[in-house]
Amino acid sequence: MTEQVSAHKDPVVIAFANEVLDGFSDVCRSLRYATFLTDDGFEVASIAGDEKQNRRVASMASSMQALGDAVAKDLRIGGAEYIIIAAETGYVIQMRVPEHAMVLAAHFDAAETVGKALSVVRLAASNMRTLVRDKAA
Amino acid sequence: MAEHVILFAGPMGAGKTTAIESLSEIETIRTEATNTDRETADKDTTTVALDYGEITVSDEDKVRLYGVPGQRRFNFMWTILKERAVGLILLVNNDAADPIEELDAFLEEFGELHEKGGIVVCVTRSDVAPTPYLDKYAERIREVMPGRMIPVFTADARNADQMRTALMSLIANIEMTAMIAGNQERAA
Ligand SMILES: Nc1nc2c(ncn2[C@@H]2O[C@H](COP(=O)(O)OP(=O)(O)OP(=O)(O)O)[C@@H](O)[C@H]2O)c(=O)[nH]1
Ligand SMILES: [Mg+2]
């Protein structure tokens, strides 16, 4: 068995995450901020934001994700697919990278429609999955 | 007696999630994530938001049990949950790198709960690491919170009876605090 390196310490995964995030900000101008994090709240990679802020967002997003999963589990409606926080001047969408213990959290300004933002987040999460899966293969 | 909210705090791997699981009469709410920090605690999962359970004590008093994440980067959850609580069970695993320092750090963060109701310290995993002995904990508590009554127990978080003993001792403290506050109000 190969040694399992956690995502936030794995240079290859970090490089993938940066690659996906770069493409992400290209397709979506209203994106203010985005970060990949491990399920237990360690920052893997981010665009924009200072270091301290990124770490804090990673912890909070991990708590949010887990609370979302806990609510969905309690209501027996399956796993939480994504979480949206709508605020006055923008919103945050977060989504698990399918099949991985990793989450993408992204902050958009209010100019974007939720539908568009959701679809680019889904695309970025799915791109991340493909990269990590192909690496494992 | 009102519904009490009791907080379980302490370092990663101390047994907060386990203790609430042992005590709760309802299916607990958990927020476990895959643990990638195996150096601090060698276990599969870690709490990233909160644990929740409920227990009825003395007839029909319901006690709500909240566990916090042990890792400091989740300390925004500490702030949120501290607001609601009237008492603290501080769990410290005796096999931590420096358990007395952990005790100190968590008393600093959560010590204010003594004034709100009470604090009880439970030293866990003393079967894994027999030292430091309880007197070291008691000594440090006297240093950082002089003149306060804060009992220290050894307890196994997996053992419901032991955790219940600690909880009942905390509830007795909370009720005494409430009684004294009531008397002072009447006297004023
Ligand atoms: N041997 C031994 N094991 C114990 C004792 N108390 C708890 N444990 C074990 O120690 C581990 C504690 O893990 P958790 O309950 O997840 O710890 P936690 O405090 O919730 O940790 P975080 O949520 O990561 O901060 C579990 O595997 C328990 O079974 C004890 O007194 N002796
Ligand atoms: Mg826990």
Side-chain angles (χ1 to χ4, degrees):
Chain A
M1 211 183 94
T2 52
E3 179 83 1
Q4 190 74 34
V5 185
S6 51
H8 65 289
K9 289 181 192 152
D10 184 336
V12 179
V13 175
I14 294 171
F16 287 160
N18 278 314
E19 186 184 327
V20 171
L21 290 175
D22 284 345
F24 191 13
S25 53
D26 288 344
V27 296
C28 194
R29 300 253 299 281
S30 61
L31 182 70
R32 286 284 150 271
Y33 171 88
T35 185
F36 277 108
L37 51 124
T38 63
D39 268 8
D40 63 340
F42 286 106
E43 177 195 7
V44 178
S46 308
I47 41 172
D50 67 80
E51 218 172 283
K52 195 166 156 234
Q53 179 69 11
N54 293 351
R55 279 205 300 272
R56 205 167 159 76
V57 169
S59 314
M60 292 185 123
S62 131
S63 300
M64 287 288 311
Q65 193 72 32
L67 284 170
D69 284 341
V71 171
K73 176 168 178 261
D74 219 62
L75 296 175
R76 298 189 167 76
I77 53 173
E81 201 197 334
Y82 55 83
I83 293 171
I84 298 183
I85 301 165
E88 273 167 42
T89 64
Y91 43 94
V92 176
I93 298 182
Q94 57 182 73
M95 186 177 288
R96 176 162 285 114
V97 175
E99 297 149 32
H100 291 281
M102 220 186 301
V103 172
L104 172 60
H107 165 199
F108 300 86
D109 63 34
E112 197 59 83
T113 68
V114 177
K116 165 88 189 298
L118 193 54
S119 75
V120 290
V121 168
R122 188 174 275 130
L123 182 67
S126 141
N127 286 346
M128 186 64 188
R129 177 193 53 177
T130 311
L131 285 174
V132 178
R133 190 189 51 202
D134 292 352
K135 173 209 172 209
Chain B
M1 177 178 124
E3 289 193 353
H4 289 319
V5 171
I6 305 293
L7 212 60
F8 289 67
M12 184 183 187
K16 304 172 291 293
T17 302
T18 307
I20 291 179
E21 189 72 54
S22 301
L23 283 168
S24 181
E25 294 159 351
I26 62 160
E27 193 188 333
T28 57
I29 295 170
R30 291 158 161 261
T31 57
E32 296 295 292
T34 307
N35 171 29
T36 65
D37 183 9
R38 291 272 179 166
E39 293 96 78
T40 307
D42 190 17
K43 58 194 185 100
D44 292 339
T45 66
T46 184
T47 305
V48 297
L50 52 79
D51 304 301
Y52 178 75
E54 289 173 4
I55 182 172
T56 325
V57 297
S58 58
D59 294 338
E60 51 199 70
D61 294 332
K62 187 156 65 168
V63 179
R64 298 171 184 275
L65 313 169
Y66 281 91
V68 301
Q71 300 180 66
R72 184 169 285 276
R73 61 210 160 86
F74 296 111
N75 60 3
F76 57 91
M77 289 302 307
W78 298 359
T79 313
I80 295 170
L81 293 171
K82 203 158 58 174
E83 291 282 302
R84 311 182 168 200
V86 296
L88 173 72
I89 296 200
L90 175 49
L91 299 170
V92 181
N93 47 319
N94 221 26
D95 62 338
D98 190 343
I100 303 298
E101 273 314 303
E102 296 285 4
L103 168 76
D104 200 321
F106 278 91
L107 280 178
E108 178 151 332
E109 289 288 342
F110 293 92
E112 67 198 66
L113 285 174
H114 184 270
E115 271 61 49
K116 282 176 78 180
I119 299 178
V120 163
V121 174
C122 289
V123 179
T124 62
R125 297 175 65 91
S126 52
D127 54 323
V128 182
T131 57
Y133 296 118
L134 284 193
D135 55 343
K136 290 278 179 261
Y137 288 86
E139 197 176 293
R140 183 59 71 92
I141 292 169
R142 275 197 302 275
E143 279 166 28
V144 296
M145 298 191 71
R148 318 298 213 291
M149 199 184 69
I150 298 180
V152 189
F153 298 87
T154 45
D156 186 326
R158 300 166 297 181
N159 185 311
D161 286 340
Q162 292 179 13
M163 290 315 305
R164 206 181 155 89
T165 303
L167 179 68
M168 294 315 290
S169 146
L170 175 61
I171 288 173
N173 263 356
I174 292 170
E175 295 191 330
M176 203 157 69
T177 308
M179 212 170 68
I180 293 167
N183 285 343
Q184 278 168 348
E185 240 163 60
R186 270 191 295 281

